[in-house]
Amino acid sequence: MTAGPLPVQTTQQGRPAGTLYRGDTEGMWSWVLHRITGVLIFVFLLVHVLDTAMVRVSPELYNETIGTYKNWIMGLGEAGLVAAVLFHALNGIRVMLVDFWSKGTRYQRPMAWTVVGLWVVLMVPFLIRHLSNIFGG
Amino acid sequence: MSTPNAPALDAPRSPYSRTKSTRSNYELYSWVFMRMSGVVLVVLVLGHLFVNLMVGKGVAALDFAFVAGKWASPFWQIWDLLMLWLAMLHGTNGVRTIINDYAERDTTRFWLKMLIYFAFVVVVVLGTLVIFTFDPCPVGADPSLLPSFCQA
C-alpha cells in the first residue's frame, strides 16, 4: 500500500460526491449518524411541542393525544427516539472533547467506540423498562 | 492640509488585507453556541427522558394530571422553558447547517431556511405561551382527570 492522498469521488458535474466530510471510518460514521439523529430529533421536537400544547385546550384532548403514543408501534418509535437522543448526546460530548481537549484528536477513534459502548450500556436498562411498559400492559 | 477627495490612507504598518472582510463572526458564535447549548441540553433532555419514561410507570403514566403536577412547580416550568428554547435554537441552527451543505440552488436553500425559521417562531412562541398560561386546574373540567391537589 502506498500512502498518499485518497482519490476524491466526484459527481458527473465534477463536484465532490454527496456527503462532504470524509474522515476515517469511525469519524465519518459518527459524523453521518450525528446529522441523521439530529434531524430526526428536530422533527420529533416540532411534533412534541404541538402535542404537548393540547394541555392548554382541555385535559380530555391532551389525554386523547398522548393516548395515541401508548401503543406498541409508537412505543418502538419512542425507543428509536431515545436511541437517537442518547447517541447524539454521547457523540456530542465526543465532538466537544475533540474540539477542546488537547489530546482529543489523538483519541477520537477510541472515543467513538466508547460512545458505542456507553450507548449500549444505557440502552439496555432503558429498553427493559420501556418495552415492559409497552408490552406489559 | 487635507484634500477633500483624497483616498483615506491606512496608518503605517497596519495589517495588510487584500480586501476588506465583509464577514461577521456569526458562524464562529454559532459554532460556540452549539457546544455550549449542547452541554446544557445533555442534562436537560436526559433528565426529561428519565423522569418521564423511566421513573414509575414510564410512558404509561403520562396524562394531563402528570403534566399538571409537574408544571405546578416553577422548577419544571423553568426546566421545560429552558429546554424548549435551547433545543429549538440548537436544532434550527443544526438543520440550517445541513441545508447550507446540501441544498445547492440559491432559491432552494433560501426557502428551506425560511421554512425552518417559520417553524422555529411558531413552536417557540406556542410552547412558551403554553408553559406560562397553563392552568393545572381548569374550571369545569372533569375532576377525575385533574391532579389530586385541585380538589383542595
Side-chain angles (χ1 to χ4, degrees):
Chain A
M1 287 284 283
T2 50
L6 292 166
V8 177
Q9 287 182 310
T10 53
T11 60
Q12 288 188 329
Q13 288 79 33
R15 285 189 291 264
T19 43
L20 302 181
Y21 171 76
R22 290 200 175 268
D24 63 346
T25 309
E26 285 85 352
M28 185 68 197
W29 281 105
S30 298
W31 180 84
V32 169
L33 283 173
H34 204 74
R35 293 202 150 187
I36 294 174
T37 52
V39 171
L40 215 82
I41 296 162
F42 182 71
V43 172
F44 171 77
L45 176 60
L46 300 180
V47 178
H48 185 49
V49 174
L50 296 182
D51 67 54
T52 306
M54 296 306 125
V55 291
R56 195 65 191 81
V57 182
S58 75
E60 287 83 359
L61 185 61
Y62 180 75
N63 287 352
E64 208 180 295
T65 310
I66 206 78
T68 60
Y69 281 96
K70 294 176 186 174
N71 58 67
W72 68 270
I73 299 173
M74 294 301 272
L76 292 181
E78 285 152 19
L81 178 78
V82 171
V85 170
L86 280 177
F87 174 82
H88 200 86
L90 293 167
N91 192 56
I93 294 169
R94 171 179 162 274
V95 167
M96 284 182 275
L97 287 171
V98 168
D99 287 341
F100 298 127
W101 180 34
S102 58
K103 292 177 184 159
T105 45
R106 193 189 308 168
Y107 291 112
Q108 70 86 14
R109 200 185 306 250
M111 283 197 296
W113 288 107
T114 309
V115 165
V116 173
L118 285 174
W119 181 82
V120 171
V121 166
L122 290 169
M123 278 307 281
V124 168
F126 166 73
L127 283 179
I128 292 171
R129 165 97 266 192
H130 187 68
L131 294 181
S132 60
N133 281 331
I134 307 168
F135 294 107
Chain B
M1 194 178 131
S2 65
T3 322
N5 291 325
L9 290 179
D10 283 337
R13 295 187 193 86
S14 57
Y16 171 77
S17 72
R18 197 181 293 266
T19 51
K20 274 267 183 321
S21 173
T22 53
R23 290 180 174 190
S24 67
N25 280 334
Y26 181 80
E27 294 299 335
L28 170 67
Y29 297 135
S30 131
W31 184 93
V32 172
F33 173 79
M34 289 311 263
R35 277 137 188 90
M36 299 299 104
S37 59
V39 176
V40 181
L41 280 167
V42 168
V43 177
L44 291 176
V45 173
L46 295 189
H48 175 75
L49 289 175
F50 188 80
V51 169
N52 289 28
L53 296 181
M54 288 292 280
V55 176
K57 278 190 257 163
V59 69
L62 297 188
D63 59 8
F64 181 86
F66 178 88
V67 179
K70 275 182 87 180
W71 280 350
S73 140
F75 176 82
W76 287 114
Q77 279 188 313
I78 293 169
W79 182 296
D80 285 357
L81 186 75
L82 201 61
M83 187 164 62
L84 170 74
W85 278 77
L86 287 180
M88 282 305 291
L89 285 167
H90 187 103
T92 306
N93 197 38
V95 175
R96 180 187 70 92
T97 307
I98 291 177
I99 292 170
N100 280 340
D101 274 355
Y102 298 117
E104 296 189 357
R105 288 181 54 212
D106 287 353
T107 46
T108 314
R109 211 163 48 238
F110 175 83
W111 285 111
L112 282 176
K113 282 192 273 187
M114 283 304 127
L115 188 69
I116 57 162
Y117 296 158
F118 175 74
F120 173 87
V121 172
V122 169
V123 167
V124 165
V125 168
L126 178 73
T128 305
L129 282 176
V130 167
I131 292 173
F132 279 123
T133 68
F134 176 68
D135 179 2
C137 308
V139 182
D142 179 354
S144 69
L145 300 179
L146 302 183
S148 52
F149 57 77
C150 289
Q151 280 135 31

